[in-house]
Amino acid sequence: MSSIGFQKRQAGDRLKHAIDVAVALPMLVLISPVMLAAMLAIRLTSPGPVIFSQLRVGRDAVPFRCHKLRTMAAGTPSLPTHEAPPAAVTPVGGFLRRFKIDEFPQLWNVLKGDMSLVGPRPCLPSQAELIEHRRRYGVLSLRPGITGLAQARGIDMSDPALCARTDWAYLRNRSVAVDLRILRATFFGGSVPVD
């Protein structure tokens, strides 16, 4: 990467992180009553920790701890969501997943700079095929996101090649406007017209 390209990337990263923090901080304050209620429900209905922290692949393939509200029975093996046994999801966990409440603690990851509001969803270090596809497309240069283009389009990590190609489409077309469209589609549905 040329020095001009590197400077542009740094400036774009600083702007994106500033927007992330400006949105994540008030969101964390606003949703704190819901998160506290969810934590209480988890504590009262199943044994184990309330917060689930899992090693994930971050920007430039650097691992980081991704935080979520626990939705599975304690002791469930660390697997990608699409491979986890449905019976392992607790009744409260199913509700939290349906409304994406389990993702709320990732706002802390955003504030720390490990994640962005929008970007490729962070995968597990064991998902070698997806990591290799993302490396080939240059997607690992991005901060992972709480949501992303693949998720807004209903694509999960069970198809690593398609997931990585969709992440690449986001990489090529990313902008504040695209991020806003992805956030809107994540919460309210609809399409995200990105090549």
Side-chain angles (χ1 to χ4, degrees), residues 140-152:
L140 293 176
S141 66
L142 298 172
R143 275 192 191 97
I146 294 177
T147 188
L149 181 59
Q151 287 64 44

Side-chain angles (χ1 to χ4, degrees), residues 6 16 37 54 57 66 71 73 94 109 131 139 143-144 150 158 164 175 182:
F6 181 72
K16 184 169 172 65
Q54 189 178 49
V57 177
C66 182
T71 60
N109 287 112
I131 293 166
V139 171
R143 275 192 191 97
S158 61
S175 68
I182 291 170

Side-chain angles (χ1 to χ4, degrees), residues 21-45:
V21 170
V23 173
L25 197 53
M27 273 182 72
L28 204 49
V29 172
L30 286 172
I31 65 168
S32 60
V34 175
M35 192 154 62
L36 287 171
M39 292 168 84
L40 182 61
I42 294 167
R43 173 68 67 209
L44 293 174
T45 58

